[in-house]
Amino acid sequence: MPPKLYIETVGCQMNVLDSELVVGSLRRQGYELTHELDNADVIFFNTCSVRQHAEDKIYSALGRLRSHKRRHPGTIIGVLGCMAQKDQELVRRRAPHVDIVCGTGQLARLPELIAQVRQTGRPQFALSLDRKEASRHDVERSFESYDPLRDPSMRPNRFQAYVRIMIGCDKFCTYCIVPQVRGPEQSRHPDVITAEARQLADEGCKEVTLLGQTVNSYKYDLGDGRRSRLSDLLAKLHDTPGIERIKFITNFPRDMSDDLLDAVRELPKVCPYLHVPVQSGCNEVLKRMKRLYTVEYYRDMLVRCRERVPGVSISSDFIVGFSGESEPSFQRSCDLVAESGFKNSYIFKYSPRPGTKGHELYPDDVPEEIKKRRNNDLLAIQNKVSLQDHLGRVGQVVEVLVEGPSKTFLKANGQQQTGKSALSQLTGRTRTDHIVVFEGNQRLIGQTVQMVIHEATAFTLFGGVVTMEKIHQPNFDDAAVSPPQAEVALSARVSLPVI
Ligand code: SAM
Ligand code: SF4
């Protein structure tokens, strides 16, 4: 019987990609993926350290596994990723039954670590160097970009994929643990990235999302005095046959250069969607966060994005309750959201992270209750802005890449696929990253279709597939084609709840 791997992933898209690659590499070693923890030979948790809550979730899961390990001593338990890199000793102290602790920069070693646990019966650690403990060169070398061969069966679908274009971060925002746990910023060679995109396209991938902590800081020195920027990389990727859409996340406001915006405007496959976190609308808070820009700079950047890329949609991140955030400074974040026209914002309560400058220098002085209230208040303002943005799209015809049955449909009908021709509630995304829910045949999954939007909430657009309907006009050319019309059978208002 092939050995079985169970893996749980917490955190960002980078972690989702890492898990996909870990599963792919263990499959090549003969492992099968299982969704049942009880019959797994290897149990991995791919972890996140950005907020305390994410770590707490992993420690409770590990706690629940203590008795499982007593009952199944042969099962190997591994903690991977950011928390492993940050707290290797703490993990072993709090969960001595863990066999493998493997940081973000060492994932390629997992097959070897499993073999060593089996051989020696002793726990194995694989970690990159601490940024303060060695030269930049040595630390860089200890954080390896983990990008083995892709395996389409590992992704939720074969037509969308993440592609890492860089690892690490050098910005050191004072609240953020990422520069410690993901190491120095290092961009991958453009040829390696384009080769990966070609392979993905050959396997049926239509949409790639390029990943980097500050993806628009991407730069690769080609060695002959030339440098490849993100705009150059986008132009190169644009030539990949089969790839229809290129997205990239997450952008740093100061690095939103004009050449990049021009590339987004000029290259038809590059989607007009920019995720550019601002974090706060207050200059004093931004300064304490060491974000390297003012709110005036950010506002100007928004104007520049919209001028250079007409129709672009923009989303953001905010942290509420950072040290020293007074009511008036919070109000400035509310004002920014109210006027910004953001498609959506991800809003987080500040979570102090030991190991960051913010934790060292500033008290966590906004009470939890106030953080919670500010989170809700800011979200309520963003929801109104999102609704306005969505209502403005009603009546428009948009291009949607159909992703699959909606969550609501799956909940009501179970995970099982119901025949390709079955009518179901489907979900997809526009080129501006808006979610569209509609009724259609499952054979549309993976296809790019034109859709007319006829209803909107703050979270979702509702639409119907547009058909090029051939009409019979006896007195005219028989091949005449009517203007796009919403397919009547499918365009009825979808009355199921919003996903
Ligand atoms: N590199 C991206 C950037 O600079 O915008 C974001 C990376 S971070 C993993 C994703 C989001 O988590 C950040 O934009 C920020 O809003 C939030 N975040 C990071 N550290 C946090 C902390 N200590 N407490 C609360 N939210 C945090
Ligand atoms: Fe963290 Fe700032 Fe780097 Fe984003 S830019 S990963 S928030 S340090």
Side-chain angles (χ1 to χ4, degrees):
M1 273 244 295
K4 290 198 168 52
L5 165 70
Y6 172 92
I7 187 162
E8 251 180 54
T9 307
V10 183
C12 63
Q13 294 89 348
M14 218 36 122
N15 274 12
V16 173
L17 174 57
D18 280 340
S19 290
E20 175 195 324
L21 299 173
V22 164
V23 175
S25 85
L26 288 186
R27 279 204 15 159
R28 278 186 277 280
Q29 306 268 321
Y31 278 79
E32 260 179 15
L33 194 60
T34 173
H35 299 288
E36 314 270 330
L37 194 138
D38 277 342
N39 63 22
D41 300 284
V42 172
I43 299 173
F44 281 159
F45 294 97
N46 194 4
T47 61
C48 171
S49 281
V50 170
R51 283 168 290 276
Q52 184 60 44
H53 176 66
E55 294 192 355
D56 294 343
K57 257 167 90 172
I58 296 296
Y59 281 119
S60 0
L62 288 173
R64 288 194 297 274
L65 276 183
R66 204 181 282 261
S67 59
H68 180 91
K69 178 78 175 176
R70 264 198 302 272
R71 280 180 282 119
H72 306 92
T75 308
I76 291 179
I77 301 175
V79 174
L80 322 180
C82 296
M83 207 176 109
Q85 179 62 34
K86 173 172 156 276
D87 287 332
Q88 56 267 36
E89 271 147 36
L90 187 62
V91 169
R92 279 281 300 165
R93 231 186 8 257
R94 288 186 65 174
H97 49 293
V98 164
D99 303 287
I100 292 175
V101 181
C102 180
T104 53
Q106 302 282 319
L107 297 173
R109 292 184 54 201
L110 280 171
E112 161 206 335
L113 297 173
I114 294 174
Q116 278 171 4
V117 173
R118 295 234 185 276
Q119 252 170 34
T120 65
R122 285 202 303 275
Q124 301 294 318
F125 292 77
L127 300 154
S128 303
L129 294 170
D130 187 302
R131 286 192 78 150
K132 292 192 208 88
E133 277 174 2
S135 70
R136 180 173 176 107
H137 176 73
D138 290 346
V139 178
E140 272 183 3
R141 290 195 51 190
S142 75
F143 276 91
E144 269 179 42
S145 183
Y146 177 57
D147 298 285
L149 284 176
R150 305 300 298 254
D151 180 343
S153 62
M154 288 309 102
R155 298 198 295 278
N157 64 56
R158 52 172 57 232
F159 49 89
Q160 291 174 303
Y162 292 129
V163 173
R164 194 187 331 258
I165 66 165
M166 59 200 292
I167 59 169
C169 180
D170 285 343
K171 297 289 195 261
F172 289 99
C173 304
T174 58
Y175 52 81
C176 184
I177 196 67
V178 168
Q180 273 80 5
V181 294
R182 291 236 168 228
E185 181 184 305
Q186 300 180 73
S187 296
R188 295 176 73 207
H189 196 298
D191 290 349
V192 176
I193 298 167
T194 40
E196 192 169 325
R198 260 198 313 277
Q199 188 207 333
L200 287 164
D202 289 347
E203 291 165 357
C205 180
K206 293 182 171 180
E207 177 186 279
V208 288
T209 301
L210 312 181
L211 296 186
Q213 293 300 340
T214 56
V215 72
N216 54 343
S217 322
Y218 174 87
K219 51 183 172 305
Y220 194 91
D221 284 321
L222 295 163
D224 52 5
R226 285 181 308 135
R227 173 179 271 195
S228 179
R229 304 161 297 178
L230 180 57
S231 55
D232 304 315
L233 179 65
L234 290 173
K236 218 167 142 65
L237 284 168
H238 199 265
D239 292 336
T240 315
I243 296 295
E244 293 175 11
R245 286 181 173 194
I246 306 170
K247 295 181 174 175
F248 53 92
I249 49 175
T250 296
N251 294 281
F252 191 69
R254 289 239 11 161
D255 295 335
M256 192 59 85
S257 56
D258 285 348
D259 62 281
L260 175 58
L261 294 173
D262 292 347
V264 177
R265 185 189 63 241
E266 294 299 324
L267 299 169
K269 291 181 181 176
V270 177
C271 292
Y273 164 62
L274 301 170
H275 181 56
V276 202
V278 59
Q279 312 299 356
S280 169
C282 169
N283 281 337
E284 289 97 90
V285 173
L286 287 174
K287 196 162 178 198
R288 267 199 306 281
M289 289 177 163
K290 201 172 141 290
R291 282 294 284 186
L292 310 173
Y293 53 82
T294 61
V295 69
E296 291 76 23
Y297 180 95
Y298 187 87
R299 282 197 172 97
D300 288 348
M301 185 219 63
L302 286 182
V303 171
R304 206 156 43 83
C305 291
R306 291 184 169 128
E307 274 173 8
R308 288 191 107 89
V309 189
V312 70
S313 90
I314 301 175
S315 62
S316 197
D317 290 359
F318 283 82
I319 295 178
V320 294
F322 186 63
S323 175
E325 186 190 65
S326 61
E327 275 311 313
S329 40
F330 170 64
Q331 191 52 47
R332 289 185 193 110
S333 292
C334 297
D335 295 344
L336 181 62
V337 171
E339 70 178 46
S340 64
F342 292 134
K343 174 179 86 78
N344 67 292
S345 289
Y346 300 94
I347 300 166
F348 306 103
K349 291 179 288 166
Y350 173 53
S351 170
R353 305 285 59 219
T356 61
K357 275 279 175 236
H359 182 256
E360 196 184 301
L361 298 177
Y362 309 121
D364 179 23
D365 56 3
V366 178
E368 183 59 25
E369 274 315 296
I370 293 187
K371 286 181 186 171
K372 220 182 263 175
R373 196 252 302 147
R374 289 183 185 167
N375 195 329
N376 291 338
D377 288 356
L378 200 55
L379 204 55
I381 299 171
Q382 176 60 59
N383 287 348
K384 277 192 196 156
V385 174
S386 300
L387 181 61
Q388 277 315 107
D389 170 75
H390 284 183
L391 288 174
R393 291 167 199 276
V394 172
Q396 287 182 1
V397 174
V398 291
E399 181 203 285
V400 173
L401 177 58
V402 184
E403 295 181 346
S406 71
K407 280 185 199 152
T408 310
F409 181 84
L410 286 176
K411 224 184 263 171
N413 296 275
Q415 297 290 327
Q416 86 278 9
Q417 291 286 313
T418 43
K420 285 225 179 241
S421 61
L423 203 63
S424 58
Q425 193 190 55
L426 300 174
T427 177
R429 275 183 201 256
T430 65
R431 287 167 43 77
T432 47
D433 203 53
H434 288 84
I435 298 170
V436 183
V437 168
F438 63 103
E439 234 172 76
N441 284 324
Q442 295 207 4
R443 65 178 155 71
L444 291 177
I445 295 170
Q447 295 193 34
T448 316
V449 293
Q450 296 294 312
M451 206 159 276
V452 66
I453 302 303
H454 41 65
E455 193 132 357
T457 69
F459 310 104
T460 314
L461 300 174
F462 296 94
V465 179
V466 169
T467 52
M468 295 296 281
E469 196 182 323
K470 200 173 166 197
I471 52 172
H472 186 66
Q473 292 170 300
N475 298 326
F476 300 100
D477 177 5
D478 222 24
V481 170
S482 74
Q485 293 183 5
E487 194 175 305
V488 179
L490 300 181
S491 68
R493 164 81 173 89
V494 179
S495 55
L496 295 173
V498 173
I499 56 163

